[in-house]
Amino acid sequence: MTNPVFDSRSATSFATGPEDGSDRFGANVMPFGSVCGAPKGGPDTAHQIVNTGDKPLKYSWISTQHDPDVVEYPESGKYVAIAIAPGESFMQAHLLVVGRVHDSLDYWEGENA
């Protein structure tokens, strides 16, 4: 991951190996090798795994994988809205929107109300 991310619907947890790196939660940096839980929420629960070494970083990740889901990237101001079903993966999602929060439209724009 390049930027911290937080989910509006999914909770995630992960365990990391002894390699060089850090686990970031909001403003806190956890020691590498921790077992962490990242609940759904806002910028205070944003999580990020950073590889600070020169070898590939190995970690295990478990997620509730709620569908649909909205993921926000607080440092870049981006979000992803995704609905995978009936597809099998992120790349086969039938709805995938990547945008910026400040580029939002009015709800009624383009509607015949």
Side-chain angles (χ1 to χ4, degrees), residues 33-88:
S34 301
V35 175
C36 305
K40 65 181 183 175
D44 58 325
T45 64
H47 46 280
Q48 178 184 38
I49 298 173
V50 178
N51 184 357
T52 59
D54 56 3
K55 296 187 290 185
L57 179 68
K58 296 178 183 179
Y59 62 92
S60 297
W61 191 278
I62 300 170
S63 176
T64 56
Q65 293 287 316
H66 286 289
D67 187 36
D69 198 3
V70 176
V71 178
E72 295 184 55
Y73 300 84
E75 291 183 355
S76 64
K78 292 190 303 187
Y79 69 91
V80 175
I82 185 170
I84 296 173
E88 296 181 14

